[in-house]
Amino acid sequence: MEPEYPADNNEKWLQLQLWGLDTPITALCWAIACAALMQITMITAGPLLLVAGGVWCMVMLMRLKAAITRPGSWHAAFYRGHLPLILVLLVAVGLSTLWMMFFYVGRNIFTYAFFPCSIFLASRLMIDNAWFKEVKLLMQATAFAMFCAIPAFYFSFTLSPLHMLTTGPVWYLGILFYLMARERERLRTRERNAQSVIITTVTLILLLAATLVSSVTAPMFERTLCVTIAIGAGCLQGFARIANLLPGNAALALSWLAMALPAVLGIMLYAPHSW
């Protein structure tokens, strides 16, 4: 889930990405969408801010690590130049997130964050080579999807943390995020080799098949989530068609906007009337 930026140093399109705001904004959109699709009538800002803060800290740590291990790229120079400010922000946001978890939202929410945190940490501990690259990317995308679902499951009062592992649409959402990560990799390299085509095609078929099956047999909230995911698959395909017409930085900047659009549409279509 950590992007590799193109070699040109036109930063104006990438300010949102460079400061790590693209991922928490997308996470917030999908977190609110999941709550709307599950018809959660009462949701407070605490869990949403907790998810956004936690995601932002993890993303910035990943990108700082990439800047240190790959110092030759231009965005690495950006992070090194802003390192003191970024470290101060990381400490402030990290401490605020911990305070919210223990004293504002409640420690029970950590039980919902256990599985996505475990999956994410396991992906980071895996050997970094070509064999495990796709598995690591899929695990990180799945963990991100589970993070997005935490507020909705937490406020449902009936779904336990184990339901995050057994609810099919959460995994389908992870596959959708994986597809977007693959598309971002294609934008970075500006090529589409045979392995990339096979992985993307097979994963998209799996996503659509699982969505269709779940749409027939699943409870109402899972069906609405599947419809939103199908919209996301359509947005991804549309974005893939126009991405080649855009400069590399512009395409990367708009990729997370394309990922957040289905969530916004889901909120507009399925938000409870009490909202």
Side-chain angles (χ1 to χ4, degrees), residues 33-56:
C34 288
L37 299 173
M38 292 176 65
Q39 296 295 295
I40 304 297
T41 57
M42 184 201 72
I43 186 169
T44 62
L48 297 175
L49 294 176
L50 192 63
V51 169
V55 167
W56 184 82

Side-chain angles (χ1 to χ4, degrees), residues 26-34 148 173 176-177 225 228-229 259-260 262-263:
T26 304
L28 278 177
C29 290
W30 277 102
I32 297 172
C34 288
C148 294
L173 183 59
L176 183 62
F177 289 143
L225 182 53
T228 307
I229 293 172
M259 196 70 263

Side-chain angles (χ1 to χ4, degrees), residues 53-96:
V55 167
W56 184 82
C57 288
M58 286 189 293
V59 166
M60 289 305 292
L61 287 173
M62 289 170 61
R63 295 180 184 177
L64 284 176
K65 177 181 178 293
I68 294 172
T69 56
R70 294 190 288 272
S73 55
W74 69 267
H75 65 282
F78 174 89
Y79 284 118
R80 288 197 301 270
H82 296 81
L83 184 60
L85 177 58
I86 292 174
L87 290 178
V88 170
L89 291 174
L90 275 171
V91 172
V93 175
L95 291 177
S96 300

Side-chain angles (χ1 to χ4, degrees), residues 6 184-192 242-252:
R184 287 163 70 87
E185 177 69 14
R186 187 190 70 81
L187 289 174
R188 182 184 73 85
T189 58
R190 285 295 179 180
E191 63 181 6
R192 184 182 289 272
I242 66 173
N244 291 329
L245 304 177
L246 300 172
N249 284 348
L252 278 174

Side-chain angles (χ1 to χ4, degrees), residues 206-224:
L206 175 64
L207 170 67
L208 295 178
T211 301
L212 290 174
V213 172
S214 183
S215 296
V216 175
T217 61
M220 180 62 186
F221 83 89
E222 292 190 14
R223 294 201 300 269
T224 54

Side-chain angles (χ1 to χ4, degrees), residues 108-116 146 153 158-167:
N108 287 339
I109 199 170
F110 181 76
T111 60
Y112 290 87
F114 175 77
F115 289 116
M146 289 184 177
F153 278 76
T158 58
L159 297 176
S160 69
L162 286 176
H163 281 90
M164 297 185 71
L165 296 178
T166 59
T167 301

